[in-house]
Amino acid sequence: MKTTGMNGRRMLPIALIAAALPCGPAGCSGRPGPGAAPAPAAKGGDAPGVQEYRLVGQVKAVDRGAKEVTIRHEEIPGFMGAMTMPFRVDDASALEDVQVGDEVEAKLRVEREAGQVKDYQLLDLAVTRPAPAASLVLDLSGGTPALRQAPKRLQPGEVVPDFAMTGQDGRAFRLSDLRGKVVVLTFIYTRCPLPDFCPYMDRKFADLAAAIATSPRRAESVRLLSVSFDPEHDTPEVLARHARSRGATPPLWTFCVASHDQLAGVAGPLGLVYGPGKGEIIHNLCTAVIDPGGRLARLEVGTQSNRWSSADLLKTVQSALARPGG
């Protein structure tokens, strides 16, 4: 029988298979470990040998096909320590409203016989705080703007997706063509009217390029890319004029542009969000440092995170150069 819990989510009677429980800090098969506090006395009205405990935790996995939900629960005083445990559900439809990341609360009913745990039941499972909604990004890859679930953001050490660009000189190239170099990449558009956004990143890259250029050997091993997400306006000719006005000199610092289709594969993993606004393109700030093997070395997303200094980012560049292939 299904009842309704908090937030309109269903409360689920669930039977736990004792044999499925992993060993944890409190012992195996859900028994209290050595030194655990004595079990509380049975509540009034309970059959002898039956106790109920309050269980609080977070859903870590939901396998509807296997009729199983895994919960990382807090310590249950007098019974077991904190651990992650799978609970089997007899009715798979009972898991329809349960999501990974939900915070939950339930009663754990434990039956003992001759001092040993005989059976378990997890009763009145209710969601106390639903998992945060997945963040959305504006996807322009299909030609029509649409909100879609944001892809997982890359972590340092992961390979940055390859994509194609056209440089200010009109030549097409790919990010992978720069393997063997440290790449510092940011996203801009030349018509940006906000001094604290694209013009600010242009100033940041101008300072960084000047710092890198003090060592010709280092300058040969580093490439700065300012990638436009405005292909409708930022042609190679426009980019070349903009580059001259900003003091960008290839091959160290190059302005380039990518199509929306190409950007779709890399924007999300690097945390870039952009889309049309009234008379301008609304976007955030993003700077990525990529090591010679094409792996992410550092990612800064957002206005505050992109207040990095040239000296600070140069340390990351130097560290990336010291990696194999650098």
Side-chain angles (χ1 to χ4, degrees), residues 40-43 46-53 109-112:
K43 293 184 178 180
D46 282 344
V50 175
Q51 289 86 35
E52 286 184 355
Y53 304 86
R109 187 180 180 89
V110 180
E111 181 181 353
R112 290 183 173 86

Side-chain angles (χ1 to χ4, degrees), residues 252-275:
L252 175 56
W253 181 17
T254 301
F255 280 81
C256 47
V257 63
S259 69
H260 296 306
D261 284 344
Q262 290 295 317
L263 286 169
V266 71
L270 290 183
L272 172 68
V273 178
Y274 75 98

Side-chain angles (χ1 to χ4, degrees), residues 185-244:
L185 180 153
T186 194
F187 297 95
I188 55 89
Y189 75 112
T190 63
R191 295 184 291 173
C192 183
L194 302 177
D196 291 338
F197 278 76
C198 300
Y200 176 73
M201 297 310 297
D202 284 350
R203 295 194 298 273
K204 286 283 189 183
F205 267 48
D207 290 345
L208 183 61
I212 292 171
T214 59
S215 168
R217 181 177 178 182
R218 180 173 58 201
E220 177 59 32
S221 301
V222 180
R223 295 292 179 262
L224 309 186
L225 297 181
S226 293
V227 184
S228 171
F229 43 74
D230 186 14
E232 290 79 14
H233 176 269
D234 286 342
T235 63
E237 293 77 17
V238 170
L239 291 173
R241 289 196 299 272
H242 187 80
R244 287 194 294 271

